[in-house]
Amino acid sequence: KAQSVNGGWPWFPGMPESRYITQHIITGMGHLDHLGIKDVKENHKVWQMVKKGVDYLDGEIVKDYRNAKRYDPAYLTNQHLGYDQVQYLYARSYFPQLEMNGDTKEAVSYFKDQAVKFWLNFNIYAEGMIALAAHRFEMVELSTDIVKSLKDRSIHHDEFGMYWKDYQAGYYWYEAPIET
């Protein structure tokens, strides 16, 4: 009921759609499907919601790409990959069977290249998301490098398990300690 006609979801009923919430919901559907808890693709209503949500998100990533090209003459060398784009790549990587149009393919290719160049500029949560997305997109070298880096920077403790000393909790979704 809450999904907008354009495929996005709002924070609350009556509000405009939110890219973050839509990416969060699509990622959640991907998790449920991947873990075998719910076969998202077999439930027609749920699958239609996912497809509409992914279409909405594909449109948002195309806008990001077009803005980078339009407003930054050096867009190919400057960083335009942010946490929204990382979350998109992660969410989208759950649904490779959903075809991308030419504009989306170009935008996704651009942000995948950005991930290769700039993954070290992100916190460990986003690095993990990039690694998983890269693995699903068959970007083997990138996913391997990130996992190796995460392992190298981790601390192993008999009582506390594995953790990262340099982790900083914060206000934003990508700084949440439990998810990280």
Side-chain angles (χ1 to χ4, degrees):
K1 281 183 171 180
Q3 190 175 28
S4 299
V5 174
N6 69 2
W9 276 273
W11 276 88
F12 298 103
M15 293 179 73
E17 60 280 335
S18 163
R19 178 181 185 166
Y20 165 73
I21 288 298
T22 303
Q23 289 181 163
H24 188 68
I25 289 170
I26 294 300
T27 298
M29 294 293 190
H31 283 153
L32 291 172
D33 189 63
H34 182 73
L35 295 173
I37 296 168
K38 182 162 187 66
D39 194 346
V40 170
K41 294 174 221 82
E42 295 302 316
N43 183 317
H44 180 73
K45 282 187 177 184
V46 173
W47 187 236
Q48 292 307 311
M49 287 184 344
V50 168
K51 285 169 57 176
K52 281 177 60 178
V54 169
D55 283 347
Y56 167 78
L57 295 174
D58 286 351
E60 294 299 300
I61 204 72
V62 168
K63 286 180 197 173
D64 293 343
Y65 175 61
R66 286 181 179 158
N67 284 335
K69 280 176 63 173
R70 182 177 187 181
Y71 298 113
D72 184 0
Y75 76 98
L76 290 174
T77 55
N78 291 338
Q79 181 176 342
H80 292 278
L81 181 73
Y83 287 95
D84 286 340
Q85 293 77 27
V86 168
Q87 187 188 32
Y88 166 82
L89 291 173
Y90 179 67
R92 191 61 166 89
S93 72
Y94 277 107
F95 302 103
Q97 68 276 33
L98 292 177
E99 290 207 29
M100 297 180 197
N101 66 29
D103 290 340
T104 304
K105 284 180 184 174
E106 186 177 350
V108 168
S109 177
Y110 171 75
F111 285 109
K112 285 163 126 180
D113 289 346
Q114 288 266 298
V116 171
K117 291 178 193 173
F118 300 112
W119 67 269
L120 281 167
N121 295 347
F122 292 92
N123 66 17
I124 58 173
Y125 184 18
E127 286 179 11
M129 292 175 85
I130 293 168
L132 284 166
H135 174 73
R136 292 185 194 126
F137 286 130
E138 298 178 0
M139 300 168 69
V140 177
E141 187 176 347
L142 176 60
S143 62
T144 302
D145 288 349
I146 295 172
V147 169
K148 184 179 181 318
S149 173
L150 288 170
K151 284 181 179 177
D152 288 348
R153 292 179 285 153
S154 68
I155 297 170
H156 299 269
H157 190 276
D158 289 340
E159 189 176 337
F160 302 124
M162 184 170 78
Y163 65 96
W164 290 265
K165 190 175 186 176
D166 62 345
Y167 173 70
Q168 300 255 337
Y171 174 78
Y172 298 103
W173 66 266
Y174 50 83
E175 298 170 328
I178 299 298
E179 288 85 348
T180 301

